[in-house]
Amino acid sequence: MGTLAKRSSNRLGVVVDGNYPAFLGDGPVHLDAEAPEATFERGHSGITQFLKEDRLKDLRAVLYGEAPATAAAPTEDIEFRNEHLNDSQKEAVRFALATDPIALIFGPPGTGKTHTLVEVIRQLIRRGDSVLVTAASNTALDNLGERLMAAGVKPVRVGRPERISDAVEARSLEKLIEETTEHQQAKKWMSEASDKRARHEKRKARGGRGSASRTLLDEANALTRDARRMFGTARGKVLRRFRVILSTAGGIDPRMLGNHAFDTVVLDEATQAPDPMALVAFARGAKLILAGDPEQLPPTVISRDNHRQGLASTFFERLSSEPGNSLTRMLTTQYRMHTALMSFPSEQHYGGKLEAADSIAQRVLSDLPGVSDDPERPPHWVFIDTAGKGWKEQQHARSMSTYNPEQAEFTASEVRRIIARGLSPQEIAAITPYAAHAKQLRQLLAKEVSDGLEIGSVDAFQGREKEAIVVDLVRSNAERDIGFLQDVRRTNVALTRAKRFLVVIGDSATLGEHEYYAALLQAAEDQDARRSAWDTEG
């Protein structure tokens, strides 16, 4: 029994359990063994290796507070490969190249963190470094890999084939191995081994158990061993040929990379990588460049005990918050949000330092072809207050996820209102923190979803953007319990996905006692962007 994992024009990926049939080890089938506990084992191994390697002692001292975290003044005269970088991006590149052993790049939403990392990696290659590029998720890694390829970099993407995006599949280790002469020879030997085993089985079926039959089996086994060694030779040839390797932090496999160390490790999404996974990557290089945003989603830590013991806190978060921190450079020009959309996140999360690029600072929906104004809504963003409507939240009996049926109806009407202005559903997303509420919205907006509207959780939209975003905060109860909305980093993600227009729907009576949401309500009031569900029609 197997599960179809990935299909392409000439390849089929199937996931099978540990009790796979013997023939999968031969012939044209590529077998990639992976046990569920492998990631945990790598984390344990990464911690052990990081703590014992003598070459990593300076890095350990900084990471664990045994040595001061200081940064060198950038002295390199850099010829930037990307001439469109802004001043804060150029400063971050110079800083990352000059600072040892750790440099942090703080990238708020829309500030071009990925473009900056691409430039850093290109400069590292230019000066002769080998680079391990890693991230907490396959999606973020492949996005970075795609940008590197567009910039002319030729990386090798290591990882399970079904988890590699189509955009970078051509640079997968598996594909590159197939182009080697060693791989062709190994395939030939595997085919011969398969043929000899088949002849052996036929003789055995006819009762033949003599020396000739045993010789066939011995020869088949020898060919298989030689082929596997040749596959290993092909893999090593590819890995030595290219200086940039891409792998998720949890997917760095010693079987693939051996004990190979890199001049520099670049970790994207560093604020989502729990320490054990980060250390798997850190153990591969003596210089680290970490990029992320501690004001967005933290690592996913299921165990409450592990959360309380600090596993939800990352190296990036701790280093960037140290008194007198000099290891961080922040990107400050953002290219996503209208100035009015940017102002609240900037003040609440980024010390008021964000600036909107001139090209996007005042753009609104009605600037788009075929999209009309809505005289009943502000042009940039609106908070629609449902206080007093009696739209009370409920809990799903099985999942215990929270939903609010009547508020979902209202949210659906707001989505349709935007579509009626002429904006394509493909340019709109509805975001909600609760799975049960998202399910309600998908049922109410089934037609719009079929036309391209996206509805999902906060987690699903980190790193993404749409022209218009509708955020439904769901919570409405007499106890003023806001659940995990208390982690305002999640709300920050939701509020920073819109490029031109944002609708936030929530109950001020439930949310308003929390300092953050009180500030959000006040910001809406100050910008004439607050409306009541009582006097607005969907």
Side-chain angles (χ1 to χ4, degrees), residues 73 78 152 185 219 236 281 285 340 345 367-368 410 475 507:
I78 295 175
Q185 181 62 61
E219 290 174 351
D367 294 335
L368 294 170
F410 184 81
R475 303 307 296 257
D507 179 358

Side-chain angles (χ1 to χ4, degrees), residues 411 429-433 469-473 491 494-495 502-506:
T411 296
I431 303 176
T432 179
I469 294 287
V470 179
V471 178
D472 187 332
L473 296 175
T491 308
L495 298 181
L502 170 69
V503 180
V504 184
I505 300 168

Side-chain angles (χ1 to χ4, degrees), residues 171-188:
R171 300 303 306 174
S172 70
L173 178 60
E174 185 182 28
K175 283 275 192 182
L176 296 171
I177 285 173
E178 288 176 0
E179 297 172 3
T180 65
T181 55
E182 289 84 358
H183 181 268
Q184 297 304 316
Q185 181 62 61
K187 277 183 63 178
K188 180 181 177 183

Side-chain angles (χ1 to χ4, degrees), residues 22 127 145 174 206 212 237 281 286 313 337 342 387 389 414 442 446:
R127 73 184 192 186
E174 185 182 28
R206 294 197 299 265
K237 180 179 181 180
S313 171
M337 296 171 278
M342 177 197 73
K389 293 294 288 186
E414 285 298 312
R442 290 190 192 99

Side-chain angles (χ1 to χ4, degrees), residues 203-217:
R203 290 195 179 200
K204 191 167 71 172
R206 294 197 299 265
R209 297 182 180 274
S211 60
S213 181
R214 286 195 301 273
T215 298
L216 283 171
L217 186 59

Side-chain angles (χ1 to χ4, degrees), residues 365-413:
L365 277 185
S366 56
D367 294 335
L368 294 170
V371 180
S372 62
D373 283 318
D374 183 343
E376 300 298 321
R377 297 288 182 269
H380 34 72
W381 81 288
V382 60
F383 187 103
I384 302 179
D385 191 352
T386 66
K389 293 294 288 186
W391 297 343
K392 296 303 180 186
E393 67 185 59
Q394 301 176 32
Q395 261 192 345
H396 191 277
R398 283 182 295 180
S399 69
M400 303 304 290
S401 180
T402 304
Y403 65 104
N404 190 325
E406 291 167 300
Q407 188 161 304
E409 293 272 5
F410 184 81
T411 296
S413 72

Side-chain angles (χ1 to χ4, degrees), residues 53-94:
E53 287 277 0
D54 186 63
R55 63 181 175 81
L56 300 174
K57 61 182 180 181
D58 292 341
L59 192 53
R60 283 195 299 271
V62 173
L63 283 175
Y64 293 112
E66 297 166 1
T70 58
T75 56
E76 293 188 52
D77 184 17
I78 295 175
E79 180 183 343
F80 289 98
R81 315 300 292 273
N82 182 352
E83 60 186 25
H84 301 295
L85 294 178
N86 62 49
D87 289 344
S88 68
Q89 291 169 335
K90 289 178 179 177
E91 169 61 17
V93 172
R94 293 190 189 96

Side-chain angles (χ1 to χ4, degrees), residues 121 124-126 128-133 148-149 152-158 168-180 182 233-247 256-257 260-264:
I121 293 164
L124 290 170
I125 297 168
R126 187 178 186 181
D129 279 14
S130 59
V131 187
L132 174 62
V133 179
L148 286 168
M149 290 165 61
V153 177
K154 295 181 178 179
V156 179
R157 173 62 159 98
V158 176
V168 298
E169 186 178 14
R171 300 303 306 174
S172 70
L173 178 60
E174 185 182 28
K175 283 275 192 182
L176 296 171
I177 285 173
E178 288 176 0
E179 297 172 3
T180 65
E182 289 84 358
T233 301
R235 181 172 61 244
K237 180 179 181 180
V238 170
L239 293 174
R240 287 191 301 272
R241 181 181 169 193
F242 298 99
R243 293 212 305 273
V244 178
I245 306 297
L246 307 178
S247 175
M256 292 290 182
L257 299 181
H260 184 67
F262 296 81
D263 295 310
T264 304

